[in-house]
Amino acid sequence: MRPFAHFAPGSLDEAVEIFRREGEGGRPLAGGTDLVVQLKEGGHKFPYPRYLVSLRRLPELRALEWRDGQGLLLGAGLTMAEVARAEAVRGRYSALADGAGLVGSLQTMNMATVGGNVCNAAPSADTAPPLLALEASARIVGPEGERLVPLEEFWLGPGQTALRHGEVLVEFLLPPPMPRSASIYRRHTPRQQMDIAVVGVAVAVALDEAGRTLRKVRIALGAVAPTPVRARRAEAALEGQAPTDEAIARAAALAREEARPISDLRGSASFRRHLVGVMTERLLREAIERARRG
Ligand SMILES: Cc1cc2nc3c(=O)[nH]c(=O)nc-3n(C[C@H](O)[C@H](O)[C@H](O)COP(=O)(O)OP(=O)(O)OC[C@H]3O[C@@H](n4cnc5c(N)ncnc54)[C@H](O)[C@@H]3O)c2cc1C
């Protein structure tokens, strides 16, 4: 690793002030499970930073708060282990608990943060499809002030985000789930653990009161496009419909068409497309069943 300065502020204001004062060439550091590896590799993905600003001591990034009518505030600095075991997440946003619970080993889960996973912007990031399907927004604070960005607008490409210099992703806002709803995330990997998703699929569904019609459907795909993406045509084909076998199969076929995968050493584009169809169909069935049970 080449030398860099390291700052460890104790508040968000202090962190932003460091970015303002020091200027270009700085980077936030959370758990370091992506960033430190990239620095050791020489920092090919971005210009080598002149300084790092640690986010570890910032209390503002540690929120885990349910607000009636607003939903869940989830701090970007929470670790995967904290997210995966949080009752507020497991009960109402289980797709996110599924994703966080898959990241690396126990050691990785105790270091890696949910904010770092999102800001690293890998198309295969395991919390990205759940957060997309759950319609999360990111609250961002930086030298120019504060803004709220829907996650769909957050990723611009592999390793590229909407963050500007000195901006910190502080927390996610997850809207309250609808009644009779359920969400699930699964990924396909050749190995059961310590592997990166060949395909990741998250679905979130809500049924009407009688349990006969799908009021809302969200399908998000990971590792099959330059960024995590929603399968909007598949969602639209199911919303307002009875969840019949035919309707679910049609939606899964549309999701397969919406994926834009590449071939790499983990799998060919056609294998990935096939997986999207199979996984979407299975997860929709499972989520609908769970939503029915309430
Ligand atoms: C052994 C191992 C196994 C792994 N397995 C998986 C896996 O199964 N699934 C998976 O998805 N990932 C996996 N990863 C990748 C990694 O653990 C995750 O992406 C992790 O969540 C990154 O979080 P972090 O806190 O370590 O981020 P860091 O490495 O500290 O930062 C990552 C990037 O995000 C930026 N950043 C971090 N936090 C913020 C913030 N709040 N605001 C603005 N910018 C920020 C940093 O500047 C940096 O560019 C693995 C990594 C390792 C080393």
Side-chain angles (χ1 to χ4, degrees):
M1 276 201 271
R2 282 184 260 153
F4 50 80
H6 178 265
F7 298 95
S11 72
L12 181 59
D13 279 353
E14 210 188 315
V16 170
E17 182 48 36
I18 293 169
F19 281 117
R20 189 183 287 120
R21 185 187 71 218
E22 297 290 321
E24 294 289 328
R27 223 174 165 85
L29 170 69
T33 61
D34 280 318
L35 185 53
V36 173
V37 177
Q38 290 157 8
L39 294 180
K40 284 184 177 166
E41 286 168 352
H44 307 298
K45 292 193 175 166
F46 43 78
Y48 203 89
R50 188 163 57 75
Y51 66 97
L52 299 183
V53 178
S54 172
L55 307 178
R56 288 219 196 179
R57 293 171 52 217
L58 307 192
E60 295 86 347
L61 271 64
R62 305 273 317 149
L64 183 59
E65 187 189 331
W66 171 258
R67 289 193 182 162
D68 283 336
Q70 289 181 44
L72 185 71
L73 289 189
L74 184 95
L78 295 177
T79 64
M80 295 299 178
E82 289 170 326
V83 172
R85 66 170 177 250
E87 268 315 308
V89 179
R90 291 161 64 94
R92 294 185 169 106
Y93 306 98
S94 51
L96 180 57
D98 294 339
L102 286 169
V103 171
S105 60
L106 282 178
Q107 290 91 333
T108 322
M109 284 176 59
N110 283 324
M111 297 281 289
T113 63
V114 61
N117 197 228
V118 166
C119 294
N120 190 56
S124 59
D126 281 313
T127 62
L131 286 165
L132 257 189
L134 295 166
E135 302 184 300
S137 300
R139 190 165 79 82
I140 294 166
V141 172
E144 310 302 326
E146 176 177 331
R147 57 199 180 110
L148 194 64
V149 177
L151 269 200
E152 233 186 323
E153 297 165 21
F154 185 83
W155 297 292
L156 307 179
Q160 306 291 316
T161 70
L163 287 174
R164 304 179 193 129
H165 173 261
E167 283 191 323
V168 175
L169 197 172
V170 176
E171 62 196 4
F172 299 96
L173 280 85
L174 286 87
M178 293 167 81
R180 296 188 76 102
S181 62
S183 69
I184 309 180
Y185 172 73
R186 296 264 198 287
R187 67 178 189 185
H188 176 80
T189 52
R191 299 191 303 181
Q192 293 229 319
Q193 277 175 320
M194 296 297 284
D195 209 344
I196 289 172
V198 175
V199 168
V201 179
V203 303
V205 300
L207 291 164
D208 67 354
E209 267 181 40
R212 291 203 198 98
T213 307
L214 282 157
R215 284 175 70 192
K216 192 166 182 177
V217 179
R218 293 291 175 266
I219 303 169
L221 310 175
V224 293
T227 65
V229 284
R230 291 253 305 268
R232 285 184 175 276
R233 282 166 55 214
E235 293 171 358
L238 267 183
E239 272 184 0
Q241 305 294 316
T244 59
D245 287 350
E246 298 73 42
I248 291 171
R250 200 166 50 242
L254 284 170
R256 195 168 54 222
E257 281 176 22
E258 288 180 85
R260 290 176 287 130
I262 52 164
S263 296
D264 64 14
L265 56 90
R266 289 203 167 74
S268 66
S270 63
F271 179 51
R272 285 188 154 109
R273 266 187 208 285
H274 174 73
L275 279 174
V276 167
V278 172
M279 290 170 69
T280 304
E281 188 163 344
R282 282 186 192 161
L283 291 196
L284 282 169
R285 281 182 205 286
E286 200 177 327
I288 290 163
E289 195 44 46
R290 277 199 211 172
R292 275 205 180 109
R293 288 200 304 263

